[in-house]
Amino acid sequence: SRALEVLGSNQAYFEAWAPGAKPKPYRKASIRGPGGKRLPAAIHRYYCGGLHLFQAVQRLHGGTAPTRLARQYELLLLRLRLETSYWKTVQEQVEARPGPNLAAQKQVFLAQRLKLQGHALETYLRGVAVGAAPLGEPERAALKAGFGELQLTVQALVQEGVYGALPGLALSNPQLYRDLVGDSAHALHAYQIAPPELLK
């Protein structure tokens, strides 16, 4: 389908970090925009990180997984690992030289981690549920690690007081508020559909 072609072309960026590729540090795809400003590229050009596109393609194909879609599931698990590490590293770098907006920056970093982890885990497990994505030992290990990282993200959001501040965020930063509420729902659904052994 055309939607699968779009997903595949946008996720192809992650092939550079797939097993067998030349090892290199992960960087999010970007392009140089007007005035030299760096703008998100590839799958990152979508505000949701393209994860809703993936879910739409998933629904279109139901329980089937043509070769190209099967590859997208593999890249999704790779992305879960790469981007989790990326956002943690970015946060550590900012915390090493804190500025006056550190608290607000941490909220954004944690929200990005939640967006990625909640959606990726939910999407993959939805694929498993309909028989379109495999659940062998490598996939179980990747998903279990993903849930471990999601737990750390949620704990950090709680410790930073982000969830307790949601009513205020709804007024001061509506987009962040919507992200946190919506992406928390995706994460919760991932927990609800996960085989119990992935959560131990």
Side-chain angles (χ1 to χ4, degrees):
S1 70
R2 173 60 181 151
L4 178 53
E5 290 178 15
V6 172
L7 176 65
S9 64
N10 279 279
Q11 283 214 143
Y13 175 73
F14 295 104
E15 294 285 2
W17 291 273
K22 186 177 179 181
K24 61 178 181 177
Y26 174 72
R27 303 186 124 198
K28 291 187 74 172
S30 64
I31 57 173
R32 197 89 46 197
K37 183 179 179 182
R38 301 300 300 184
L39 300 174
I43 199 75
H44 306 298
R45 65 193 176 93
Y46 298 95
Y47 193 81
C48 67
L51 293 155
H52 288 149
L53 170 62
F54 199 127
Q55 292 191 351
V57 171
Q58 184 178 56
R59 286 190 180 277
L60 287 171
H61 288 271
T64 65
T67 302
R68 189 162 194 184
L69 180 54
R71 183 56 174 164
Q72 302 319 305
Y73 279 112
E74 294 172 355
L75 293 176
L76 181 64
L77 292 181
L78 174 63
R79 180 180 182 185
L80 176 62
R81 177 175 59 81
L82 288 172
E83 285 199 56
T84 290
S85 178
Y86 169 83
W87 284 113
K88 290 173 74 174
T89 298
V90 169
Q91 183 173 334
E92 289 168 0
Q93 291 171 342
V94 170
E95 288 177 334
R97 50 181 194 282
N101 298 322
L102 179 60
Q105 289 175 312
K106 286 172 71 173
Q107 287 179 349
V108 172
F109 300 150
L110 291 170
Q112 289 299 314
R113 279 166 54 184
L114 179 68
K115 182 188 297 290
L116 165 75
Q117 293 162 349
H119 277 89
L121 290 165
E122 177 193 47
T123 303
Y124 195 91
L125 288 170
R126 281 173 49 174
V128 170
V130 297
L135 192 58
E137 283 309 310
E139 294 81 17
R140 287 176 187 275
L143 291 166
K144 193 166 185 176
F147 274 111
E149 290 293 346
L150 175 57
Q151 181 178 353
L152 293 175
T153 300
V154 172
Q155 287 174 343
L157 284 163
V158 172
Q159 290 168 359
E160 292 293 322
V162 177
Y163 282 125
L166 283 177
L169 282 174
L171 298 173
S172 65
N173 193 336
Q175 186 58 60
L176 180 60
Y177 168 80
R178 289 191 291 267
D179 284 348
L180 288 165
V181 172
D183 296 332
S184 293
H186 284 285
L188 177 59
H189 188 222
Y191 275 107
Q192 291 172 333
I193 63 176
E197 66 269 20
L198 297 182
L199 305 178
K200 294 178 181 176

